Amino acid sequence: MAGPTEIGLIFTLLLSWSFCATPEKKVCQGANNKLALLGTVDDHYQILVKMYSNCTVVLENLEITYMTEKHDLSFLRSIQEVGGYVLIGINSAPSIPLENLRIIRGHSLYDDKFALAVLSNSNSSIGQGMNQLPLTSLTEILKGGIKFTGNNHLCNMETIQWTDILNMKSQPKNEIQNFTSQRQCKKCDPSCHNGSCWGPGPQNCQTMTKVICAEQCSGRCKGPKPIDCCNEHCAAGCTGPKPTDCLACKDFQDEGTCKDACPRLMLYDPNTHQLAPNPDGKYSFGATCIKICPHNYVVTDHGACVRTCSPGTYEVDEGGVRKCKKCDGLCPKVCNGLGMGPLTNVLSINASNIDSFENCTKISGGVTILPTTFRGDQHTKTPVLDPVKLNVFRTVKEITGYLVIQQWPESMSSLSAFENLEVIRGRTKQQGAFSFAVTQTKITHLGLRSLREISDGDVVIGHNQHLCYTSHDHWKRLFKSEHQSVRVTANANATTCANRNSTCDEMCTADGCWGPGPTMCFVCKHYSRKKHCVASCNLLAGEPREYEVNKTCAECDPECLLMNDTQTCTGPMMAAHQSLKCFLSH
Ligand SMILES: *[C@@H]1O[C@H](CO)[C@@H](O)[C@H](O)[C@H]1NC(C)=O
Ligand SMILES: *[C@@H]1O[C@H](CO)[C@@H](O)[C@H](O)[C@H]1NC(C)=O
Ligand SMILES: *[C@@H]1O[C@H](CO)[C@@H](O)[C@H](O)[C@H]1NC(C)=O
Ligand SMILES: *[C@@H]1O[C@H](CO)[C@@H](O)[C@H](O)[C@H]1NC(C)=O
Ligand SMILES: *[C@@H]1O[C@H](CO)[C@@H](O)[C@H](O)[C@H]1NC(C)=O
Ligand SMILES: *[C@@H]1O[C@H](CO)[C@@H](O)[C@H](O)[C@H]1NC(C)=O
Ligand SMILES: *[C@@H]1O[C@H](CO)[C@@H](O)[C@H](O)[C@H]1NC(C)=O
């Protein structure tokens, strides 16, 4: 177990980094530790100093916790913008100086509700606590509500007019516990608008930028007259009417101008029907538009710089840029097979290890299925395997070692659990020779309709008394090395197969097939559509309309205008030299 101090050090290493997005603004990541104490109170303080010093923009959450009166908190003065929530909790320091904080965006909320949570900032055992929270620049909370509880010493907060700050359209939920009357508080300065202030003196009056605005204003203003209205893209307030005069931007800031979106990375060229890179395109990074994502960030489909790709996408390198790409089906996941990692000395798949193959697309190592797989083994306390569990292998596309099957459930007529397997690499082999073997099963057909390569090692298909569709020649086409051989013996004989009508579908070429039906052909005679062999594509009739590419039917882009008597499209929408009638619908 790591001690609290070590945990603190780990957090320091993880969270202390930051960088400059624009020369004058230092952006830092922020935290998500909630009320956890990182090490001792002094470790905790040092971590916060490292994390937020000189920081103007906090991308995620600003969490100020466990600060006491002996700590110098001036490092918080640089902070102007927070992307997530602000948590101020368990502090006994008399004041938390966040005078320059203008905007809390609330992209993530404390307890899913609060953009500003001020919790338990008083210590009854020493009779001390935070008595001032001078958020004198805070004029905007874009999403979420506020929560104040357990702040027995905190003054003036009850005078704040939160409707000027909160975004009522986001339906904020607020929880404000009554402030006790025992406090000795100084009153707001008489000059404060409507008696609202963060502390005594005229410098602590609440600045109103919404409730005082003229009717003509669409959002914020700098005064009550119609000419005082801010630009619609401003948040927090402004110094003038232009989108360059905002105190903060509602959506994005691009070289000092507030906009609703960053300049797009690709633009549609109506002459060539192509998307072309926009030389002025920018990525969005928090609420800022930038030319290049900071180091260690990846780019999403939408051109945003993020730290990790979202579920359903995976990271790839494209021309030196790290990007998030949509996964084709399941995201790639490599798992250890037999002979590798924790399965180094394990001889077969069994009930104790089959769950480790969930969602795997690639198995590094081998897969062996033996009679013990289904029987279980008392010696190693291995239970009986439910045959249905074999379906875990349906996600597997590649096995780097071997696939050896010496028993298969009688309830399954083919090796359908491996129907998506595309490649057996044979880098490791069973008994040093075999990369694929199926023996002594009761299957009627192999059903390995996606298998297109066995890179190395020999193949044995033997003593499967009901097995038809075993073409000797086909295996050679899957081989990639001259030294590979195949032995097909003692399966169902030709007479038996003919009597059973075990012939390939008429949509298959004479090359053969993996089993019955139009989904099992080695090669389609005419065209293929999503693993089915078909006679023709929907060129002129049928929906969705299609075009042909490499003997495959592909759907027309939904933007294409449906045509009769002539082809609706001849290629993917954005491909070069798109011809025929294909219009943007907008
Ligand atoms: C903050 O900025 C000041 C002045 O630019 C510099 O001296 C100081 O080292 C910086 N502190 C940190 C922790 O980056
Ligand atoms: C209150 O202060 C005392 C003395 O400094 C400290 O030991 C105790 O942990 C504090 N309690 C809380 C809840 O912060
Ligand atoms: C807060 O104060 C109001 C008015 O003084 C009172 O009606 C209410 O019950 C109090 N709530 C709590 C939780 O003490
Ligand atoms: C002044 O404050 C009161 C109560 O806090 C509120 O009802 C009223 O609308 C405010 N007036 C203005 C002009 O903001
Ligand atoms: C079953 O799998 C477990 C976990 O991988 C292994 O420890 C055990 O030896 C295996 N039993 C047999 C009979 O293969
Ligand atoms: C497998 O994928 C499904 C669907 O994406 C997901 O719900 C499940 O948690 C995953 N299981 C594991 C062990 O990764
Ligand atoms: C084919 O197999 C069947 C059943 O196993 C058997 O009766 C028959 O004699 C075999 N025919 C030939 C030509 O081997």
Side-chain angles (χ1 to χ4, degrees), residues 356-555:
S356 72
F357 294 93
E358 189 172 332
N359 294 346
C360 304
T361 55
K362 176 172 170 174
I363 294 176
S364 178
V367 173
T368 304
I369 294 171
L370 298 177
T372 50
T373 300
F374 303 101
R375 235 192 285 127
D377 177 52
Q378 286 190 336
H379 188 66
T380 58
K381 296 207 169 62
T382 307
V384 171
L385 180 86
D386 177 357
V388 170
K389 286 225 158 189
L390 291 169
N391 284 320
V392 76
F393 292 112
R394 276 183 194 272
T395 54
V396 175
K397 292 184 174 172
E398 179 179 344
I399 295 176
T400 66
Y402 48 83
L403 174 60
V404 170
I405 296 174
Q406 295 187 16
Q407 178 151 337
W408 195 250
E410 291 194 21
S411 56
M412 300 182 184
S413 59
S414 74
L415 307 178
S416 54
F418 290 99
E419 67 174 6
N420 292 308
L421 179 63
E422 294 169 5
V423 184
I424 299 171
R425 300 233 173 259
R427 289 189 191 139
T428 55
K429 302 175 194 73
Q430 181 87 319
Q431 294 163 15
F434 304 109
S435 55
F436 182 53
V438 183
T439 58
Q440 290 169 346
T441 70
K442 302 273 164 56
I443 58 174
T444 60
H445 58 286
L446 289 161
L448 300 172
R449 58 185 178 153
S450 301
L451 189 63
R452 52 175 171 76
E453 176 174 336
I454 298 177
S455 322
D456 197 9
D458 297 338
V459 169
V460 177
I461 312 289
H463 301 276
N464 305 288
Q465 53 182 301
H466 302 306
L467 182 60
C468 296
Y469 309 98
T470 55
S471 147
H472 184 273
D473 291 340
H474 182 62
W475 298 102
K476 302 217 160 133
R477 271 182 243 131
L478 304 180
F479 290 165
K480 294 291 159 200
S481 144
E482 291 165 16
H483 309 292
Q484 290 176 270
S485 72
V486 55
R487 202 146 45 93
V488 180
T489 53
N491 302 302
N493 62 33
T495 324
T496 312
C497 290
N499 287 345
R500 276 211 327 239
N501 250 345
S502 294
T503 50
C504 291
D505 193 87
E506 57 177 6
M507 289 294 157
C508 301
T509 60
D511 293 324
C513 60
W514 293 106
T519 64
M520 290 289 169
C521 304
F522 292 151
V523 182
C524 292
K525 197 188 278 178
H526 309 289
Y527 296 98
S528 73
R529 172 190 296 138
K530 294 179 183 159
K531 294 187 175 175
H532 277 69
C533 293
V534 293
S536 63
C537 300
N538 295 332
L539 300 182
L540 304 178
E543 277 183 50
R545 288 285 209 284
E546 295 166 329
Y547 63 96
E548 298 168 359
V549 54
N550 297 334
K551 304 214 87 185
T552 303
C553 306
E555 284 180 26

Side-chain angles (χ1 to χ4, degrees), residues 16 18 26 49-55 75 78:
S16 63
S18 52
K26 185 172 147 182
V49 170
K50 274 224 169 86
M51 204 168 356
Y52 299 119
S53 282
N54 295 343
C55 195
F75 70 94
S78 59

